[in-house]
Amino acid sequence: GVGCVVWDAALVLSKFLETGACPLARRHVLELGAGTGAVGIMAATLGANVTVTDLEELQELLMVNIENNKHLVTGSVRAKVLKWGEDVTEFQPPPDYILMADCIYYEESLEPLLKTLKDLTGPDTCVLCCYEQRTMGKNPEIERKYFELLQRDFELEEIPLDRHDEEYRSEDIHILNIHRRR
């Protein structure tokens, strides 16, 4: 269900990448929880060598979207299965960038996601995490717990709204620049 939608955070992160704030040409990029692959495909159109990852059941959708957009790609893009919390050996060495859009919503997925982030990141990996701040139900508690756990191993810096794309931005959609603690 959730993987078949292009969420607002994916649009905001894609348009942020398009501003050129991060040099992506010829960089090794991994997208976690890619869903439709919109963010990773955008990175590939900007010259990155991208692996979009998600669960097995989303691989067909990812392949279709890659195929439908291959004429725009100036780097490369491929889809692979990656289940958070499991072995990431085949995704080594650490990528230059890890992209995540709206991956923080299931409490059960927080620990596996954090393990995957720790296993994938090197000292120079930049993680760009874009999420929509939600105020309903358990969402605020899940977000609080995620950031609390994340800060044990990572440093976070919020990218100010005025650095987001002028049109594709929202007060409740945040982009974080995340690095491993030294």
Side-chain angles (χ1 to χ4, degrees), residues 8-162:
D8 290 346
L11 296 173
V12 168
L13 184 53
S14 294
K15 295 301 274 184
F16 174 74
L17 296 176
E18 201 176 41
T19 68
C22 302
L24 292 177
R26 294 179 295 290
R27 300 298 175 107
H28 175 204
V29 174
L30 190 68
E31 184 183 4
L32 296 180
T36 64
V39 176
I41 292 168
M42 172 60 86
T45 70
L46 298 169
N49 298 313
V50 181
T51 303
V52 290
T53 67
D54 213 312
L55 299 172
E56 179 66 49
E57 54 266 26
L58 287 159
Q59 294 302 302
E60 190 177 331
L61 176 63
L62 284 168
M63 302 290 205
V64 166
N65 290 341
I66 289 169
E67 180 64 26
N68 288 341
N69 290 283
K70 69 180 181 193
H71 63 287
L72 301 170
V73 171
T74 60
S76 65
V77 61
R78 64 187 179 146
K80 294 198 91 159
V81 174
L82 175 57
K83 187 172 180 190
W84 299 341
E86 295 188 356
D87 182 50
V88 297
T89 308
E90 71 174 293
F91 299 98
Q92 296 297 338
D96 298 305
Y97 291 93
I98 294 175
L99 306 175
M100 300 167 47
D102 254 349
C103 289
I104 312 160
Y105 45 85
Y106 291 133
E107 191 165 7
E108 312 78 56
S109 71
L110 296 185
E111 296 279 355
L113 174 58
L114 289 163
K115 178 186 182 332
T116 295
L117 277 176
K118 281 194 272 192
D119 293 348
L120 284 171
T121 51
D124 300 319
T125 303
C126 172
V127 179
L128 292 174
C129 172
C130 186
Y131 71 99
E132 183 170 350
Q133 192 170 12
R134 294 181 169 87
T135 56
M136 304 298 285
K138 292 181 87 175
N139 286 306
E141 178 60 24
I142 291 169
E143 283 171 23
R144 187 199 58 72
K145 183 177 179 185
Y146 173 75
F147 291 116
E148 186 179 291
L149 293 169
L150 186 69
Q151 289 180 68
R152 291 179 185 169
D153 298 289
F154 294 91
E155 295 174 355
L156 301 91
E157 172 198 358
E158 181 153 2
I159 295 172
L161 193 63
D162 64 9

